[in-house]
Every structure is written in structure tokens, then in C-alpha cells.
Amino acid sequence: MARRLEVISNHLGEKPQTMAKGLKTQYVKDPIKFMGLEDLIPMSLNTKRMQLREILDRDVAPLLPEFIEKAQFPREVLGKIKGLFGLSEAKYGCRQVTPREKSIILYELARVDTSLATFYALTMSLVIYTIEALGSEEQKAKYLPGLCNLDLIGCWGLTEPDFGSDASGLQTTATPVDGGFILNGSKRWIGNAIISDIMVIWAKNTKTNKIEGFVIPSKTPGIHVKNIDRKLGLRMVQNGVITLIDVKVPITTRLEKATNFANGVKVVLEHSRVSIAWIATGMLSGVYEASVKHLRERIQFGVPIGAFQLNQEKLVRVLGHFHSCFLLAWRITELQEQGKATSGQAGLVKAITSLIGRDAVRLGREMLGGDGILIDNYVMKALADMEIVYTYEGTYDINALVAGEAITGISAFKSSYSLRKK
């Protein structure tokens, strides 16, 4: 052992017992600075980013471990982030949040916790965006101010027990009746379901056979919600099963512009998948920061473990993955702001950021060793959460096929295999 320490110290040019004390303080703490990625961000937005980071690190992050461990939603922190919500343009008493600002907010939230970022993405990219883009003027005036101020919490009900990836095949029905519709069906894995005040529910019109959207109060008679317990990832997100039994709603609850899957659900998903790419990127920032801090502070064999070649190689891989994700996410955001982003592009970015994100968080977990399983050290909860990021808003496979169709012009979704009734 003594010989091994001597070899290490000679190679490093410093005595083992003085390495920790003499360690240079100049290092790359924030991965965004390594190749000057902050130069891509407008100065005013970068200033807001650092202000938000300070608030999150000081006032929010210390409160979260208790909620994560108990799988509870952190209502206590909502007051600290309520100013982050808004619309694509300032209307209905709500402030404007541009795609780039929303992306940077998601990045910073995910750097602290994925559940918190998911709540923001769910609210902004699904609930608020759906009503803003597809709702009537009455619906916008009624719901958007409360959602933007967090006086209302919404959920977005698409996924069903038997229909996840094949969203176009959903079985929840909307039967037209005098003055409105009667909804029947079930939704599963719906974030915010337990704590929501309003629900966006997607259902198939039994008369037209088209998928349409409805905005309804969560306490409407016939709606039953059950929490999904014992999750090992996104523990603060309150996912639930929504059962609709003869739920009668007025015609004014229907989203007037969402008349079929293509101009309803698909429009929203193309928009929201960009948000998930930013969540994956923010998670990689958190993993990198936790890893580099640990590698500099953890002493083994008389030196910081960051002095060992294996750990440096893993850290370089994490940093490289981070840059790949950031640049992909930044470019799709630019295209989205220009109104040029396509479903194929969004699918590619979501798929790749979650794919290489998986590798990055696994490497972070390895570098932190035993300490890496603690909630306080970020990487273990990131490892569990990234598995969900890899799956939600369309699995990796589905998003890859969306991009694959855009590349080849050939859809690979329909299998030659067919189920036959016996």
C-alpha cells in the first residue's frame, strides 16, 4: 500500500498527505461554463437564470429531501416559484414567457429536482399551453390567470391503463347529449391528478370517432381519483388514476380548436417534448456538479479520488453528454421560437437527451460510491428519475420512430401482426 501511494504521489508531483490541503481551487464547477455555453443565452436571460439558481439553492433545495422521502408534493415551495409561470404572450393578466426563458427555467429546476421541473413542465407545456393554444376565449379568461398564478393546479389526462404509447387508440368516450357530453373511461399515470383543481381530459367523440379535449373541474360529479403509491421515481409528483363514470359536462368545456388527434393531442405533445429535453439536460448539470464536488472532496489512498484516471474519464463522459444535450435542446428551442420545429425534430431531441442522460446519471452514481444512494447527493434520485424521463412524453422508442419517419418518410408504427379473436 505504501508503495502504491508513493507511485501515485510521484506521478502527481505532490505528497499524498498534502494533496487535499494543497488542492487548487480553480476548477469547472458549472458545466455550462466549460465551453462557454452561457454565451448562447441572452445576457438578460442569463442574469435571470443566475438569480433563479440562487433562490433555488438557498430557499428550495434544502426543503425537498423530506418531501422526496415521504413522496409528498411540496406545496410549501410554490410561493417561491409562482412568478415563473406565464403564456407565450402577455394576455389575460399573465406575463409572457418565451420558449427560451421557459427552457432555462426548466433547466435550473431540473438541476435541483426532477419532480419540481416536471410539475413546471406539466403546468406550462401541457395544461396552460393546451388551453392557450386550443381553448375558447371563455376558457382562456376563466382558467389561465389562476393557472399562471398557481391559484389553480391542473392535470392533463391522456394516458390510459390499456393505451400509453398508442395514444390515438384511447378508449375514453365523449357521447354527445343535449347541451353537452357524457364522459366515460379511465386515465392512468396522470401527474397532479390528486391535487388538481381542473382537468384536461382527452376522449373519443362517439359520433365523429375523433379525439377531442375537454377542460372540466376536478370535483365534477362522476370523477373518481386514486393515487398511485409506492413509486421509486418522481416521488413528489402526485400521479393518479382518474375514473370517469357518466360525467356530464356542458358543451362549453370542449376545447374548440382540438377537433381531432392531429390538431389537438399531437400539437401539444410536439410542444411539450422540447420541455422534457431541457429536464434531461438540467439533470445532467446536477449530476455533474454533484460528481465533481465529490471527486475533489473525497480522499482515498491519501489523495482526492478525482486524481484517479478512471474517475476523470467518467467525469469527462458526463460533461460530454451534458454538452450534447444542451446543444440539441438549445437548437430545437430556437426552431420552436421561430415556429419551425417539427415533430421529427422534437422526437429526435427528446429521444437522444433521455438516452445519453441515462448513461450520464449512471456514471455519476458510480463516482459517488456509497454516498451516491443518499437523496441529499442528487445522483441516486436522478438515476431513478431519468428512467421515467426516458419513458414519459413518449418512450425513447416511440420518439425515435417519430424521428425515423421524418428521416425516411416511412412510418414504422404499424406492425404486420394483428390480434385475432378466437
Side-chain angles (χ1 to χ4, degrees):
M1 180 65 70
R3 174 59 181 163
R4 183 177 181 183
L5 288 177
E6 181 182 351
V7 171
I8 293 173
S9 62
N10 289 340
H11 174 69
L12 295 172
E14 197 164 351
K15 294 293 183 182
Q17 63 267 26
T18 62
M19 171 58 72
K21 295 180 180 179
L23 193 65
K24 294 181 180 179
T25 57
Q26 186 175 0
Y27 70 105
V28 181
K29 179 180 179 181
D30 184 351
I32 207 170
K33 294 183 178 296
F34 187 78
M35 296 189 69
L37 294 180
E38 72 268 32
D39 293 343
L40 297 174
I41 307 171
M43 186 177 298
S44 60
L45 182 55
N46 201 43
T47 299
K48 290 180 181 179
R49 178 178 76 87
M50 297 311 296
Q51 291 170 344
L52 173 59
R53 174 172 292 202
E54 182 179 357
I55 292 170
L56 292 174
D57 285 347
R58 184 188 66 227
D59 301 332
V60 175
L63 303 177
L64 298 183
E66 180 181 352
F67 291 98
I68 296 168
E69 193 163 19
K70 295 179 179 179
Q72 296 176 347
F73 183 71
R75 287 184 179 273
E76 286 83 345
V77 307
L78 292 186
K80 302 182 186 301
I81 65 171
K82 66 185 303 181
L84 303 178
F85 297 79
L87 307 177
S88 59
E89 56 180 310
K91 293 182 70 174
Y92 310 103
C94 305
R95 77 181 190 95
Q96 181 186 34
V97 179
T98 66
R100 278 189 288 186
E101 182 179 0
K102 183 175 71 173
S103 298
I104 291 301
I105 290 170
L106 280 166
Y107 171 84
E108 289 298 332
L109 289 173
R111 173 186 161 270
V112 170
D113 182 78
T114 318
S115 290
L116 199 60
T118 298
F119 171 78
Y120 184 82
L122 194 163
T123 302
M124 282 285 286
S125 298
L126 292 179
V127 180
I128 288 177
Y129 180 75
T130 295
I131 297 173
E132 182 186 12
L134 305 174
S136 65
E137 285 300 316
E138 179 186 350
Q139 289 167 337
K140 294 175 186 179
K142 183 177 182 179
Y143 294 121
L144 290 178
L147 289 167
C148 290
N149 292 324
L150 294 186
D151 296 325
L152 294 175
I153 292 178
C155 69
W156 201 79
L158 175 65
T159 301
E160 299 184 354
D162 295 323
F163 287 87
S165 297
D166 184 11
S168 62
L170 60 82
Q171 296 296 299
T172 298
T173 59
T175 303
V177 295
D178 288 342
F181 298 85
I182 294 179
L183 306 181
N184 281 284
S186 183
K187 301 293 181 180
R188 191 164 185 255
W189 290 115
I190 309 306
N192 287 357
I194 307 302
I195 60 175
S196 70
D197 300 297
I198 64 169
M199 299 178 170
V200 175
I201 298 292
W202 298 95
K204 187 172 292 185
N205 187 312
T206 57
K207 184 176 180 180
T208 65
N209 210 36
K210 302 293 186 182
I211 293 174
E212 300 179 352
F214 301 83
V215 186
I216 57 181
S218 300
K219 294 183 178 180
T220 301
I223 295 179
H224 307 274
V225 182
K226 181 181 179 181
N227 196 42
I228 297 176
D229 298 315
R230 305 175 75 178
K231 295 187 307 170
L232 291 176
L234 291 185
R235 288 180 57 79
M236 294 193 303
V237 176
Q238 302 300 295
N239 295 93
V241 175
I242 301 172
T243 304
L244 304 111
I245 303 174
D246 294 332
V247 179
K248 188 171 183 178
V249 297
I251 197 168
T252 54
T253 61
R254 190 175 72 87
L255 292 162
E256 63 178 25
K257 296 180 183 178
T259 56
N260 57 46
F261 184 84
N263 62 22
V265 172
K266 186 178 179 182
V267 170
V268 180
L269 290 180
E270 288 177 2
H271 177 83
S272 65
R273 281 169 178 157
V274 176
S275 298
I276 309 308
W278 279 107
I279 290 177
T281 305
M283 292 172 71
L284 265 59
S285 178
V287 168
Y288 171 87
E289 290 182 42
S291 299
V292 75
K293 180 176 185 294
H294 185 77
L295 293 188
R296 288 173 55 81
E297 295 177 356
R298 175 69 167 169
I299 307 298
Q300 292 290 283
F301 307 109
V303 295
I305 61 173
F308 297 111
Q309 295 173 1
L310 287 174
N311 283 329
Q312 288 198 4
E313 188 275 338
K314 290 174 183 176
L315 192 61
V316 167
R317 258 196 287 168
V318 171
L319 187 60
H321 288 341
F322 167 81
H323 281 79
S324 297
C325 289
F326 189 99
L327 291 170
L328 276 171
W330 187 259
R331 180 56 183 155
I332 191 66
T333 301
E334 288 181 327
L335 292 170
Q336 190 180 66
E337 252 187 359
Q338 297 165 12
K340 297 178 180 179
T342 67
S343 58
Q345 292 167 340
L348 171 72
V349 174
K350 194 279 177 181
I352 296 304
T353 53
S354 62
L355 176 68
I356 63 179
R358 271 177 131 191
D359 185 50
V361 296
R362 178 182 59 79
L363 291 167
R365 163 69 187 90
E366 290 178 12
M367 286 185 280
L368 264 72
D371 289 341
I373 71 170
L374 300 173
I375 289 174
D376 295 5
N377 281 338
Y378 189 87
V379 295
M380 189 65 200
K381 67 186 180 77
L383 185 64
D385 291 345
M386 187 62 84
E387 286 301 306
I388 302 174
V389 171
Y390 183 76
T391 303
Y392 72 179
E393 292 295 327
T395 65
Y396 165 80
D397 296 324
I398 291 298
N399 278 290
L401 293 183
V402 169
E405 182 177 356
I407 295 167
T408 65
I410 304 170
S411 175
F413 284 102
K414 296 295 183 181
S415 171
S416 60
Y417 177 82
S418 62
L419 293 173
R420 296 177 180 176
K421 294 182 180 180
K422 294 185 178 179

